[in-house]
Amino acid sequence: MNRIKVLLENLRRGVVTEQYPFKPIRVPERLRGKPVIDPDKCAGCGACVNACPPNALTMRDDKHSSMRFIVLFIGRCIYCGKCEEACPFGAIRLTREFELAAENREDLYQVVGLRLYHCPLCGEPFTTVRLIKRVVEALPEEQRAAATLCPRCRESVTAHYRSYARR
Amino acid sequence: MKLYRRSLWVFHLNSGSCNGCDIEILNALAPRQDAERLGVKLVGSPRHADAILFTGPVTREALPSVVRAIQAVPEPKIVLAVGACACGGGIWHDSYCVLGGIQGLYRVLKSMGVAPPKTIYVPGCPPKPEAIIHGIMLARGLAGQRQARSEYFEEQGPAVKAEEDLHRLFHKCFPGRLPPKTARVEWGVTRY
């Protein structure tokens, strides 16, 4: 008797198998899928690199080409979304894309290369041009010039001016 | 790529994974995402398999068994690296007790004189069952690859111009009267 019940139940329910590879599936609205960096918004500040738990996002400064590379390796990403929370410019975003299978490891990388900014005093590269530009634009007029220096030179310059003020 | 025209029999190999990917593999074979309708059959021995569904970051304890299982699969074989751990080491990539995913395993295989088999990477932590099925379809040549490498390099011209503008702003606000280049703040005291 019980088996007949199960049979009737199954007949009522019909086929449960999804036709996935031949028909697209309904992806949940808030699925955390492939992270994508918008290179136009990214300023290369490295907040996402600090936030990334598995170091899927890495940052490297190349002094010879004076470029900063933000490298996203999707093969190591755990889709926690911390980069999205950390990004101050909204440049990195988790899409709903999940079909990420690739034949080559190289296909799993996203590279964003940005120009390094050199300090006007010591000439050392310390961050990207884009970030300094955005910081300068956000600051009030009188603080702008000091923001163009590297932290070390800024310290020495402000100390120099303070010593002038004391005399 | 069309490696396999016919049914793909898979052997599920766990190399110290957290079981997340293993559960998703079982989901992919269960009635809802029925991978068996695509000819995928889970077999109990690597000798019967065409492909390995490889999960986990390859712990040092699991390494000898993993190497034996991979060598037992007859040629031509294919490895599906399922999950973030197998693809790139995942959250454990720099731990002392793992080899860091399938690349570390291939380094060991290379040192043993074994050519690494053809690999398909299925990232995800864990990947959706549909993502695993997509990887299998990629191996069968029934689906195209959607993921591609993307690169962006900022143009030199506008960036250099913006940098010069910022330098000009600095030199306008601090004309002359700059400390000598040797000036450094040490221990809170400015020395010239």
Side-chain angles (χ1 to χ4, degrees):
Chain A
M1 219 38 204
N2 201 18
R3 283 188 188 177
I4 292 167
K5 249 186 203 171
V6 170
L7 185 67
L8 285 174
E9 177 66 25
N10 284 351
L11 280 174
R12 191 184 60 76
R13 195 174 290 147
V15 178
V16 293
T17 307
E18 285 173 1
Q19 301 290 313
Y20 163 62
F22 312 108
K23 280 181 194 166
I25 53 156
R26 200 175 58 79
V27 182
E29 196 67 31
R30 294 175 66 191
L31 178 88
R32 296 198 301 262
K34 172 190 171 186
V36 175
I37 306 173
D38 185 348
D40 296 326
K41 286 184 189 167
C42 180
C45 64
C48 53
V49 176
N50 278 341
C52 186
N55 297 353
L57 280 151
T58 47
M59 189 164 80
R60 189 167 56 82
D61 285 0
D62 186 12
K63 284 190 182 178
H64 295 289
S65 59
S66 81
M67 292 277 270
R68 168 173 287 186
F69 298 103
I70 306 265
V71 183
L72 166 63
F73 178 40
I74 296 162
R76 199 177 283 154
C77 178
I78 58 165
Y79 310 92
C80 59
K82 296 220 174 185
C83 46
E84 198 178 13
E85 285 171 20
C87 185
F89 303 107
I92 189 158
R93 206 165 46 78
L94 266 65
T95 59
R96 287 162 69 204
E97 209 171 307
F98 64 92
E99 290 154 321
L100 305 174
E103 290 168 30
N104 297 314
R105 206 177 145 87
E106 274 66 44
D107 286 336
L108 299 174
Y109 283 92
Q110 183 179 7
V111 183
V112 174
L114 299 168
R115 290 273 152 200
L116 279 174
Y117 176 78
H118 300 77
C119 174
L121 271 189
C122 62
E124 279 295 307
F126 64 101
T127 183
T128 58
V129 176
R130 237 185 235 184
L131 183 64
I132 289 289
K133 209 178 159 192
R134 285 183 196 176
V135 166
V136 163
E137 278 165 7
L139 281 174
E141 197 79 38
E142 67 274 13
Q143 293 174 11
R144 284 185 175 176
T148 57
L149 287 168
C150 76
R152 213 175 157 182
C153 288
R154 194 187 310 145
E155 210 172 331
S156 84
V157 164
T158 47
H160 178 77
Y161 272 80
R162 255 184 251 126
S163 70
Y164 265 98
R166 267 206 299 276
R167 276 171 208 164
Chain B
M1 180 173 64
K2 208 161 193 178
L3 285 170
Y4 283 90
R5 285 170 183 279
R6 298 188 184 168
S7 298
L8 195 72
W9 286 14
V10 295
F11 177 69
H12 177 189
L13 184 56
N14 181 335
S15 69
S17 129
C18 72
N19 262 317
C21 299
D22 308 301
I23 287 168
E24 297 299 315
I25 285 170
L26 294 186
N27 267 354
L29 294 158
R32 198 176 167 94
Q33 287 89 14
D34 193 6
E36 281 197 18
R37 76 204 140 99
L38 308 167
V40 176
K41 194 186 170 211
L42 198 64
V43 293
S45 165
R47 290 181 205 282
H48 302 158
D50 300 310
I52 297 178
L53 285 176
F54 191 92
T55 62
V58 199
T59 57
R60 290 203 302 207
E61 285 293 312
L63 179 64
S65 323
V66 165
V67 169
R68 270 177 62 203
I70 283 193
Q71 282 181 324
V73 177
E75 292 284 346
K77 64 186 161 199
I78 182 164
V79 174
L80 278 105
V82 175
C85 293
C87 285
I91 198 98
W92 325 108
H93 69 101
D94 53 357
S95 171
Y96 72 97
C97 54
V98 304
L99 273 78
I102 207 142
Q103 292 299 315
L105 177 69
Y106 288 168
R107 240 173 279 133
V108 172
L109 284 183
K110 217 173 181 181
S111 69
M112 291 168 65
V114 182
K118 178 79 195 164
T119 312
I120 284 179
Y121 297 91
V122 186
C125 188
K128 277 171 83 73
E130 287 88 356
I132 297 171
I133 290 175
H134 180 76
I136 290 166
M137 299 297 276
L138 192 64
R140 289 280 304 279
L142 297 172
Q145 186 176 319
R146 304 233 173 136
Q147 169 66 23
R149 186 190 174 97
S150 69
E151 283 177 344
Y152 168 85
F153 298 110
E154 196 181 0
E155 281 175 46
Q156 194 169 4
V160 168
K161 198 172 163 290
E163 192 176 4
E164 280 170 0
D165 286 350
L166 289 164
H167 285 187
R168 213 170 293 130
L169 172 74
F170 172 75
H171 289 302
K172 209 171 84 187
C173 292
F174 292 90
R177 289 179 70 194
L178 285 171
K181 283 205 169 176
T182 49
R184 287 279 173 258
V185 176
E186 285 165 17
W187 305 101
V189 182
T190 312
R191 291 187 183 141
Y192 295 107

